[in-house]
Every structure is written in structure tokens, then in C-alpha cells.
């Protein structure tokens, strides 16, 4: 039995690895690709930009002319074309030749690939990079254990310290990324730091790096496997991949720093200042290196990385698709959640409230009468059946008593349409018709409150009042502007929507829910299979904030103690003394981040709200009015 479990665990690791190697070897030299379940996904140049719709349609037509190709769909959001070929194999080189020809015909041969394509969950490179870094760390631990007993010359510790500082301090890392690009920077820092620590014989930093790489490797595996499951269950539907390009304006200002960024930037600046001061003024290279090591803000980043990696692995296993892995690393900074109105509604109009004009009338019976007459698609139209009729209250205002008119105005202020139910042309009740709330609407709003201010995108229907939200912003075609205005005010915004518009891409965190029609909002950063999973992510923002504050505090404490130990005591061994509190803080942050990720992922799933028919509630009649009672 133990052997069986071991074989099963080994296969779980080996299978994604073999798939990644196969994907990488089968990919064309200049294009990322993914193949499986009778489909091939290939990168295309420039078609993620608006104005290239004609080129996309031309490419789809040309690809369907290739033998064994059934259809093709351009996914502009991901910058890829999806070729459906069924059981018959198609040579990728034939397809890439057609793609290159269409790109030349439309002047796109010099255009770049979509940024989202580099972060595609089906890419093989991130999986192999993380596994390679993990294997290098494990090899490094073995190497240091052996060479510690041998007279082997070691690398000066300044290089691994400088690489760690580059990786941990946001403003330094962003400078390097702007020069060399994100993928190259990730690979160089992951492997370079590990190799440098190995040659410098630093076993404790290598052990910490191994723990971190284990977490991020699990995340890469989970994202890749989630993509395969998504393609197997959802990707075969015609039209499920096709999306049009959208124009996403740049963020109006930088994303506000959280505790992690704040502490890391200050620690990095102080570390460089301490190193320069000790080198130039004191003239002590060893104490200067010690101050540089003391300023490493590794703990702050390590805690958040462990949290995000564990949460990503869990939600990927549940069936969600993470298109932008940095999304979960921004959760701690979200302070505003915008809920797109359509995800809170079922699309049906229902009778919400019936208020009898005559106190002797039965509200339950009147509710049934109104419900029978109401046309859910055209609730404002006059409808009649026998002696009973329903019409907009404005058509019978003159027949209503003054108090009934006041009540009608009050009901209208709560949103929806106010109708009058009449019997033999005599108004007997006021009827308020509203858009029906989705069963998850209340639970989703409650989960969002843990992240901060909650707004609804859509000014009609008074959903902010019905769900006790903090306000409303313009939705529909104006939603992109609303997101930009919130960001310009210094807010970090999460948007939840089922529509694949530019606002999802422009938000700091875009959470998409596939529509019932099968349309997929590919511009989102995370595709959630149900509103319940969206609630888990929104509620996790509170865990993320708490974890970031604690990780930042651990980092500051470790650096402070390290600087104190570097300054005190003999110069010999100053760098070793200074690094110990930093390493201890980093290990604590890793454990805390993993535990917080488990807490966030283990939150109870959202529960659908059981709707209580309003006719079951005894509502008071319109005050001060009398009418004719009906038996």
C-alpha cells in the first residue's frame, strides 16, 4: 500500500513534467503553443489590439482550408488562435506557415505577442522553470553538505546577497524587469540566486529557497493542470474561445503600495545606504556586507508568496482558471470591490411587494392575482384577465387616494416598477415589480464586504439599497471609465463580471464568471466556475491583508535585529550574525503564509439564499384608505 501511494505521488509529479516537456518540444521555435483534446493553441502577433478584427476573421478562414482542420477561433484576449482538428493530427509547421502569411498580409509580422500569452496557464516554461529551480536548490543543499567537509574555495557572499536584494526589493526588481522583461528576469533570478548561494556554501538560504520553490512549483503545476481540465470540459464548445480585442487604457496611477512593498522598499534603501556608508566611511567590507544582508526584506515577500501559492493551488483544484498569477499577490491591497449588476440578477422580473388599498383584502390572494397577470419580459405593459387588470400606477393615479399615491412614490424610490392591480377598473393594490436577485447575490455582497468598500456597477434598479451596499457607479459601456476613476482616486479595485469587456482587464483584479450562454470573459485575471468561488477569493482579501502586515512586521524585526548584530561585536563573523535573524524571520513568514493560505482556502463556500415569497409576509395596507372588499 505504501508503495502504491509512492508510485501514485510520483506519477502526479511526473505526468505534468512530461506534458510540459512534450509541449515545449512540440512548440514552434518562435511561438508558444499548447495542444490537446483535438485542439492546438498557437500564438498570433498583434491580434490582441483593436482594429485587427478583419485579420482575425481572415486567419480563421484560411486555417479552416487546411486539411483536417474543422474550425478556428481567435482568442484576442490571450493572443492565440485555437485550431479544432479532431482526431486527425495536423503538423504545427503547416499551421504556423498559414499564420505567418496572414500576419504579413495584414502588416502584423513585426507586432508583438499579447502580454497575456506569456502568462498563459498552459505554458510549459513556468512549470519547467520552477521544477528546475527546485531541483537546483536541492542539488545545492547536497553540494554544500559535501563541500563543507572539503577545502573547496567558495564564492564571496556579496553576489548571492545582491541577487536576493534584487529579487526582494520592488523598485530594484521593476527596474531590471523593464530592461530584460519579466520571463527572463524570473529565470535569471531563480536560477542565478540558487547557484550563487550554492557556490557561496550558504545551506540555510538554500533550504529557505527550496521551501519557497516547492510552494511556487506546486502553484505552477496546479495552474497547468487546471488549464487541462478546463480545456477538456469547456474548450470543446464552439465559440467558447473566440473573443474580440478591446482597448485597455493604462492605469491612471501606480497601484498603491501595501505593507510588503512599503517595508521592502525602505529596507532595500537602508541596506544599500548602510553598505555604502560602511564601505566608504568605516572602511569595513565585512561589516558592510553584514548590513546589506541585514536589510534583505525576504520575509515580507516570502509570506505573501507562500499564501498566494497555496491559495492558487486550492482554487485551481476546485476548477478555477488563473490567467494572471500576480492577481493573488495583489489581494492584500484591494480596498474596493465592484459587482457588475448582471451577475447579481437572474434576468427575470418578479412581483416583490403587494400592498392592499383595502385593509380587509387578503395580500396573499392579491399577490397571486398580480403574479398571474405580470409579463416578466414586459412588466410595464397593461395586462388584463377577466375582471382583473394590472397597469403602471401612472395610468390610474387619479383614482388613487392621496395616501396611496404617497405610498406609490415611496415604493418607486426603492427601485423597480410600481403597478396598480385593479378589480373591475377599481385599484385594489399597489404592486412593486423588481429584477429578481440571483441566489448568490446576498452571499456575494457579504463576502465582498470583507475586502472593503462594495459598489454595484449599474445605476438602475437601486441594487445598492436592496443589498445594503456602499454605493453605485456607472455600468455597461461606462464601466471602464468608472474603474479608471476609482483607481485615479487611489483605490485598488477588484471587479466581478460575466461580460468580457475591457473593464475586467483594466481592474487591478478582474474576476470573471462564464455566462450561462457559454460565453467566457477571457479578459479576466481569474475565471471562476461559480459565484461561490468568487466569494472565496473576495473573502480571502482579509486574510491576505492580515498576512501581509504580519510578514512585513517579521521582515522589519529581522532586519532591525540583523543590523544591530552587524554593528555590534567583532568584525569577524558580522555577516553571519546579521543574516540569522533575517533567515529566521523568513522561515516564520513562510510558515505563516502557508497557514494563512490554508485558512483562506478553507473558508466555507457561499450558500445560496432561499427566497421567501413576499406574499407570505403580511404587509400592512395603505394607511387611511378604504375600498371594496372581494371574497
Amino acid at each position: 500500500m505504501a508503495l502504491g501511494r509512492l508510485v501514485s505521488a510520483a506519477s502526479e509529479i511526473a505526468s505534468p513534467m512530461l506534458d510540459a516537456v512534450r509541449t515545449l518540444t512540440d512548440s514552434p521555435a518562435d511561438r508558444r503553443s499548447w495542444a490537446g483534446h483535438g485542439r492546438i493553441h498557437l500564438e498570433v502577433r498583434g491580434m490582441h489590439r483593436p482594429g485587427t478584427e478583419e485579420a482575425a476573421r481572415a486567419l480563421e478562414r484560411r486555417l479552416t482550408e487546411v486539411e483536417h482542420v474543422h474550425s478556428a477561433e481567435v482568442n484576442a484576449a490571450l493572443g492565440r488562435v485555437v485550431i479544432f482538428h479532431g482526431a486527425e493530427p495536423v503538423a504545427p509547421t503547416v499551421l504556423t506557415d498559414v499564420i505567418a502569411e496572414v500576419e504579413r498580409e495584414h502588416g502584423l509580422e513585426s507586432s508583438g505577442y499579447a502580454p497575456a500569452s506569456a502568462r498563459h496557464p498552459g505554458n510549459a516554461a513556468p512549470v519547467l522553470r520552477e521544477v528546475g529551480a527546485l531541483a537546483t536548490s536541492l542539488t545545492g543543499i547536497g553540494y554544500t553538505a559535501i563541500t563543507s567537509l572539503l577545502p573547496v574555495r567558495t564564492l564571496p557572499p556579496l553576489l548571492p546577497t545582491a541577487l536576493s536584494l534584487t529579487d526582494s526589493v520592488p523598485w530594484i526588481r521593476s527596474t531590471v524587469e523593464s530592461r530584460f522583461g519579466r520571463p527572463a528576469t524570473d529565470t535569471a533570478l531563480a536560477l542565478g540566486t540558487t547557484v550563487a548561494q550554492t557556490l557561496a556554501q550558504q545551506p540555510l538560504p538554500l533550504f529557505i529557497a527550496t521551501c519557497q520553490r516547492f510552494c511556487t512549483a506546486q502553484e505552477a503545476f496546479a495552474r497547468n493542470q487546471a488549464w487541462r481540465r478546463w480545456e477538456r470540459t469547456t474548450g470543446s464548445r464552439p465559440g467558447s474561445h473566440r473573443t474580440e480585442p478591446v482597448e485597455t487604457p493604462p492605469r491612471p496611477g501606480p497601484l498603491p503600495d501595501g505593507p510588503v512593498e512599503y517595508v521592502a522598499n525602505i529596507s532595500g534603501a537602508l541596506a544599500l545606504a548602510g553598505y555604502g556608508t560602511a564601505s566608504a566611511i568605516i572602511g569595513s567590507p565585512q561589516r558592510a556586507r553584514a548590513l546589506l544582508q541585514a536589510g534583505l526584506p525576504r520575509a515580507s515577500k516570502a509570506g505573501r508568496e507562500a499564501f498566494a501559492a497555496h491559495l492558487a493551488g486550492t482554487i485551481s483544484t476546485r476548477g478555477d482558471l488563473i490567467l494572471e498569477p500576480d492577481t493573488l499577490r495583489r489581494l492584500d491591497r484591494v480596498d474596493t470591490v465592484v459587482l457588475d449588476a448582471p451577475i447579481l440578477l437572474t434576468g427575470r422580473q418578479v412581483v416583490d411587494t403587494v400592498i392592499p388599498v383595502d385593509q380587509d383584502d387578503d395580500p396573499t390572494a392579491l399577490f397571486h392575482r398580480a403574479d398571474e397577470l405580470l409579463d416578466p419580459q414586459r412588466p410595464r405593459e397593461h395586462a388584463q384577465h377577466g375582471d382583473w387588470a394590472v397597469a403602471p400606477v401612472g395610468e390610474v393615479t387619479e383614482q388613487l387616494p392621496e395616501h396611496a399615491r404617497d405610498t406609490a412614490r415611496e415604493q418607486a424610490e426603492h427601485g423597480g416598477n410600481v403597478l396598480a392591480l385593479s378589480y373591475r377598473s377599481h385599484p385594489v393594490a399597489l404592486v412593486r415589480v423588481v429584477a429578481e436577485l440571483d441566489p448568490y447575490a446576498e452571499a456575494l455582497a457579504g463576502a465582498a464586504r470583507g475586502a472593503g468598500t462594495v459598489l454595484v456597477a449599474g445605476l438602475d434598479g437601486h441594487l445598492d439599497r436592496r443589498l445594503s451596499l456602499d454605493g453605485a457607479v456607472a455600468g455597461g459601456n461606462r464601466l471602464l471609465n468608472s474603474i479608471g476613476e476609482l483607481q485615479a482616486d487611489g483605490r485598488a479595485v477588484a471587479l466581478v463580471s460575466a461580460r468580457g469587456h475591457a473593464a475586467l482587464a483594466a481592474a487591478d483584479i478582474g474576476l470573471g464568471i462564464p455566462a450561462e450562454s457559454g460565453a467566457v470573459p477571457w479578459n479576466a485575471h481569474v475565471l471562476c466556475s461559480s459565484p461561490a468561488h468568487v466569494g472565496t477569493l473576495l473573502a480571502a482579501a482579509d486574510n491576505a491583508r492580515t498576512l501581509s502586515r504580519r510578514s512585513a512586521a517579521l521582515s522589519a524585526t529581522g532586519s532591525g535585529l540583523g543590523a544591530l548584530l552587524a554593528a555590534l561585536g567583532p568584525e569577524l563573523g558580522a555577516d553571519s550574525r546579521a543574516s540569522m535573524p533575517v533567515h529566521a524571520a523568513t522561515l516564520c513568514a513562510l510558515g505563516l503564509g502557508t497557514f494563512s493560505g490554508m485558512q483562506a482556502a478553507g473558508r466555507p463556500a457561499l450558500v445560496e439564499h432561499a427566497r421567501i415569497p413576499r406574499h407570505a409576509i403580511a404587509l400592512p395596507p395603505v394607511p387611511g384608505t378604504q375600498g371594496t372588499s372581494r371574497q
Side-chain angles (χ1 to χ4, degrees):
M1 184 176 294
L3 180 60
R5 286 197 297 268
L6 183 62
V7 172
S8 176
S11 65
E12 289 180 2
I13 297 174
S15 178
M17 276 292 299
L18 292 175
D19 289 339
V21 171
R22 191 180 303 113
T23 298
L24 195 63
T25 54
D26 292 345
S27 297
D30 60 339
R31 297 179 194 270
R32 299 180 183 92
S33 71
W34 183 87
H37 309 295
R39 294 179 292 281
I40 299 176
H41 298 237
L42 286 167
E43 276 187 319
V44 291
R45 290 186 173 90
M47 295 186 191
H48 58 288
R49 298 192 181 98
T52 59
E53 293 84 353
E54 183 180 346
R57 301 293 84 79
L59 177 61
E60 291 173 350
R61 289 193 300 269
R62 295 280 287 277
L63 286 171
T64 54
E65 296 172 0
V66 177
E67 187 178 7
H68 302 313
V69 172
H70 300 163
S71 62
E73 299 174 5
V74 172
N75 187 325
L78 300 183
R80 302 204 176 187
V81 60
V82 183
I83 300 105
F84 294 73
H85 60 81
E88 296 292 337
V90 181
T93 53
V94 176
L95 301 174
T96 55
D97 289 343
V98 174
I99 294 172
E101 185 177 348
V102 173
E103 289 172 344
R104 284 193 299 271
E105 291 174 358
H106 291 82
L108 299 175
E109 69 275 11
S110 59
S111 299
Y113 294 117
S117 183
R119 302 183 290 272
H120 194 288
N123 288 346
V127 174
L128 298 178
R129 180 181 65 239
E130 293 299 335
V131 171
L134 178 60
T136 305
S137 298
L138 291 171
T139 303
I141 291 176
Y143 175 85
T144 55
I146 295 173
T147 55
S148 62
L149 305 175
L150 302 174
V152 178
R153 188 173 181 178
T154 62
L155 187 74
L158 182 60
L159 179 59
T161 302
L163 290 173
S164 295
L165 193 71
T166 302
D167 188 37
S168 302
V169 180
W171 66 268
I172 300 179
R173 198 184 205 283
S174 61
T175 302
V176 176
E177 282 184 7
S178 63
R179 177 67 176 84
F180 299 102
R182 176 71 178 272
T185 301
D186 286 342
T187 302
L189 289 177
L191 297 178
T193 303
T194 302
V195 171
Q197 289 170 343
T198 300
L199 297 178
Q201 293 188 3
Q202 296 179 339
L204 187 53
L206 280 170
F207 175 74
I208 295 172
T210 301
C211 295
Q212 289 179 294
R213 290 302 165 190
F214 180 77
C215 294
T216 52
Q218 281 189 315
E219 178 185 9
F221 276 137
R223 289 184 64 227
N224 192 269
Q225 293 302 103
W227 169 256
R228 293 181 179 276
R229 286 192 297 270
W230 183 282
E231 272 295 290
R232 184 175 62 251
T233 58
T234 307
S236 60
R237 290 202 299 261
S240 61
H241 291 280
R242 182 178 288 115
T243 56
E244 299 299 328
V246 295
E247 185 69 41
T248 305
R251 201 180 192 282
L255 183 67
D257 286 344
V260 171
E261 288 73 25
Y262 180 77
V263 168
N265 284 325
I266 291 180
S267 294
L270 291 176
L272 292 174
Y275 177 79
T277 301
S279 298
I281 299 178
I282 302 177
S284 173
Q286 196 169 53
R287 208 174 292 277
R289 288 198 306 269
L291 290 173
L292 191 65
Q293 288 182 336
L296 286 177
R298 295 184 65 182
S300 57
K301 182 179 179 180
R304 187 167 65 185
E305 286 292 315
F307 172 86
H310 188 88
L311 184 59
T314 302
I315 65 175
S316 295
T317 303
R318 292 176 181 174
D320 299 333
L321 195 59
I322 302 174
L323 300 174
E324 169 54 85
D326 285 346
T327 298
L328 302 184
R329 291 153 177 86
R330 294 194 288 264
L331 265 178
D332 60 330
R333 287 176 276 178
V334 168
D335 56 15
T336 303
V337 178
V338 178
L339 303 174
D340 199 8
I343 68 165
L344 301 173
L345 304 171
T346 64
R348 297 186 294 270
Q349 296 284 324
V350 295
V351 175
D352 180 72
T353 306
V354 174
I355 304 179
V357 172
D358 189 336
Q359 61 183 355
D360 295 328
D361 284 339
D362 180 10
T364 301
L366 294 176
F367 183 98
H368 284 299
R369 288 291 184 183
D371 194 47
E372 290 172 356
L373 290 167
L374 178 70
D375 185 345
Q377 304 302 322
R378 296 182 293 274
R380 293 185 59 84
E381 288 194 4
H382 181 96
Q384 184 169 355
H385 181 71
D387 293 332
W388 294 89
V390 66
V393 72
E395 296 183 11
V396 296
T397 301
E398 298 300 326
Q399 303 177 45
L400 290 174
E402 185 63 31
H403 292 291
R405 298 177 194 176
D406 293 339
T407 302
R409 283 191 290 269
E410 292 174 4
Q411 290 296 313
E413 290 176 358
H414 289 86
N417 298 308
V418 179
L419 311 177
L421 178 66
S422 300
Y423 177 74
R424 294 180 179 177
S425 301
H426 181 78
V428 296
L430 298 175
V431 180
R432 187 163 72 99
V433 178
V434 298
E436 185 181 38
L437 291 176
D438 185 87
Y440 282 107
E442 289 89 350
L444 195 57
R449 289 188 188 97
T453 302
V454 186
L455 307 172
V456 63
L459 302 177
D460 298 332
H462 297 276
L463 283 175
D464 53 330
R465 296 184 183 179
R466 294 175 63 187
L467 294 172
S468 301
L469 304 182
D470 298 307
V473 296
N477 295 332
R478 298 171 58 192
L479 181 54
L480 178 61
N481 292 334
S482 298
I483 297 298
E485 290 170 1
L486 291 170
Q487 291 173 331
D489 289 339
R491 303 195 188 193
V493 183
L495 171 64
V496 185
S497 179
R499 296 183 286 182
H501 41 52
L504 269 176
D508 299 304
I509 295 181
L511 304 179
I513 306 174
E516 292 183 1
S517 63
V520 180
W522 288 107
N523 293 300
H525 302 129
V526 179
L527 289 175
C528 299
S529 55
S530 78
H533 294 183
V534 173
T536 299
L537 277 176
L538 293 177
D542 184 49
N543 300 87
R545 276 196 297 268
T546 302
L547 181 276
S548 290
R549 287 195 298 267
R550 292 174 177 173
S551 296
L554 280 170
S555 181
T557 302
S559 293
L561 289 175
L564 187 64
L565 293 176
L568 301 177
E571 182 178 354
L572 183 64
D575 49 355
S576 298
R577 295 195 307 272
S579 64
M580 290 306 295
V582 175
H583 296 328
T586 304
L587 283 172
C588 289
L590 277 172
L592 187 61
T594 302
F595 178 72
S596 298
M598 294 171 62
Q599 282 186 316
R603 284 178 177 266
L606 298 188
V607 179
E608 293 180 313
H609 182 76
R611 303 266 171 235
I612 301 176
R614 293 298 298 266
H615 66 269
I617 304 174
L619 296 173
V622 177
T625 61
Q626 296 293 327
T628 303
S629 177
R630 278 145 301 284
Q631 302 299 323

